[in-house]
Amino acid sequence: MNILFIYSRQDYYSTDKPIQNQEQIQFGISYISSLLKQYGHNTKLFVITKKTKKYKLEKFLKDFLPSLICFTAVYSEYRFIAEIAEYIKNRFPEIFLLIGGAHPSLNPVECIKDSFDALCIGEGEYPTLELVEQLQNGQEPSMISNLWIKHGDSLEKNSTRPFLHHLDILPPPDRKMWEGWIAEPEINSSVLVGRGCPFECTYCCNHALKKIASGPYVRLRSPENILNEIEKIVNNYPGMKEIYLEVESITLNRNFCIELCSALEHFNSTLESPLEFGTNIRIAKNIDFNEIFNLFKKCMKSVTF
């Protein structure tokens, strides 16, 4: 089945290449796309900005003929995405429209009123796969955990499934889908180290997102799994210079951090031009980070926090 992902980028690099480099790709739809491809489905991406001409989107839809369009949105992008969904629904009513992301997950009652046929609360990889399989079999979608699904004037509200416990079961995110939209694909990239955050900062949505499903919210991939992805990035993009290790705080698990640093040190030693890395550390009082800083200094040519 053909599935299209639509991603909105208002802070865009240029009208033709809205994404500057791989560090700016959106991981949610990238992981969903890679899982769908693993099961034999065809996926494509359309990055839209407020400068995008509607006829370009319409031509893309007519050429690709998707049966399902998946949208994602944070609060600041949602209203624009909802307007695009309404535009598509008016012109292509046969295409099933699914919305997910942080804003719909936390505001489902508001968002389901718009032109979407279904809404995903929480992680979307396996709910989207189940939706695709039902649509492909000619079924009216139903009984899919994490999804709210419209049936005419009625609404089916399914419960949420537990957070994915083992992130290593997922294939690496789909980077190929972004290539036509990126101005500098071989300079900077990013790798998602884990999901979730244990802190409850008032400015962040993590404290609310962790309540939408059961099971551990904070999860880390294995260092081996992370290194396998980094190696593929280097092989596929030989000019890669820097990789950002995306995680709320890389020191959440000290043993994990030490093991990852050791793996990065060994990998960088095999490269003619060692990679530079960036990451995020939450600094707290009364904690000695000297050991961690020394590990990063040892394993990386350059590191930014």
Side-chain angles (χ1 to χ4, degrees):
M1 202 170 87
N2 290 349
I3 302 101
L4 177 66
F5 293 88
I6 293 183
Y7 178 61
S8 170
R9 184 80 187 187
Q10 300 314 308
D11 180 20
Y12 55 89
Y13 187 71
S14 71
T15 52
D16 293 330
K17 303 284 185 179
I19 312 296
Q20 183 177 0
N21 54 57
Q22 285 194 47
E23 197 172 322
Q24 298 175 344
I25 71 173
Q26 207 273 349
F27 281 117
I29 57 177
S30 302
Y31 271 103
I32 296 172
S33 176
S34 66
L35 184 67
L36 294 178
K37 284 183 174 180
Q38 183 174 279
Y39 280 81
H41 300 289
N42 303 313
T43 71
K44 283 191 177 182
L45 172 71
F46 191 93
V47 179
I48 193 166
T49 74
K50 290 186 177 179
K51 293 286 187 179
T52 303
K53 302 297 183 183
K54 294 287 197 336
Y55 77 85
K56 291 186 176 181
L57 173 59
E58 193 157 338
K59 182 179 186 304
F60 197 98
L61 293 173
K62 289 179 179 178
D63 289 343
F64 185 50
L65 298 175
S67 299
L68 168 67
I69 298 178
C70 301
F71 302 85
T72 184
V74 294
Y75 171 78
S76 58
E77 301 283 345
Y78 177 74
R79 185 41 50 194
F80 177 64
I81 282 292
E83 291 171 0
I84 296 301
E86 182 179 16
Y87 174 84
I88 293 173
K89 183 56 72 175
N90 287 336
R91 287 160 178 75
F92 303 90
E94 72 283 2
I95 301 178
F96 196 96
L97 306 184
L98 172 68
I99 179 73
H103 184 69
S105 291
L106 297 176
N107 301 274
V109 175
E110 167 201 338
C111 297
I112 200 64
K113 295 177 183 177
D114 289 309
S115 299
F116 307 104
D117 297 296
L119 177 149
C120 182
I121 299 174
E123 293 170 320
E125 287 89 358
Y126 288 98
T128 305
L129 178 61
E130 290 181 30
L131 173 64
V132 168
E133 290 173 344
Q134 290 190 12
L135 290 172
Q136 187 176 39
N137 292 332
Q139 300 174 240
E140 181 177 3
S142 183
M143 302 297 291
I144 302 174
S145 298
N146 283 32
L147 298 193
W148 285 15
I149 307 169
K150 290 178 180 175
H151 299 285
D153 295 329
S154 65
L155 179 62
E156 176 186 325
K157 298 181 181 181
N158 294 295
S159 60
T160 56
R161 64 189 74 199
F163 292 115
L164 284 173
H165 187 60
H166 298 292
L167 299 181
D168 287 6
I169 67 172
L170 295 173
D174 184 358
R175 298 176 188 276
K176 192 75 176 176
M177 68 190 290
W178 295 89
E179 288 183 352
W181 304 97
I182 297 178
E184 301 170 334
E186 293 212 13
I187 297 178
N188 292 15
S189 189
S190 57
V191 170
L192 189 66
V193 172
R195 294 183 180 182
C197 180
F199 305 110
E200 299 197 355
C201 304
T202 55
Y203 58 81
C204 183
C205 64
N206 269 302
H207 67 282
L209 287 171
K210 71 181 181 182
K211 298 176 183 177
I212 64 178
S214 62
Y217 180 56
V218 180
R219 294 142 294 155
L220 297 168
R221 296 167 59 193
S222 69
E224 180 184 10
N225 189 256
I226 294 168
L227 261 293
N228 286 341
E229 183 179 347
I230 291 176
E231 186 173 4
K232 288 178 181 177
I233 293 172
V234 172
N235 290 337
N236 292 332
Y237 306 96
M240 190 60 60
K241 297 178 180 179
E242 181 177 338
I243 292 179
Y244 192 81
L245 304 173
E246 183 65 49
V247 66
E248 297 294 345
S249 178
I250 204 163
T251 57
L252 290 176
N253 183 314
R254 199 175 192 87
N255 290 334
F256 161 83
C257 189
I258 293 171
E259 188 178 348
L260 177 61
C261 285
S262 176
L264 292 173
E265 179 185 5
H266 174 73
F267 179 73
N268 247 350
S269 70
T270 68
L271 301 179
E272 184 175 341
S273 298
L275 291 169
E276 298 179 5
F277 291 91
T279 193
N280 183 49
I281 291 180
R282 178 185 170 109
I283 301 297
K285 63 182 181 179
N286 300 324
I287 297 179
D288 183 5
F289 285 97
N290 286 327
E291 179 188 10
I292 298 298
F293 291 152
N294 287 333
L295 283 169
F296 277 118
K297 183 178 179 180
K298 187 178 180 181
C299 73
M300 303 178 186
K301 174 186 175 184
S302 174
V303 61
T304 56
F305 297 104

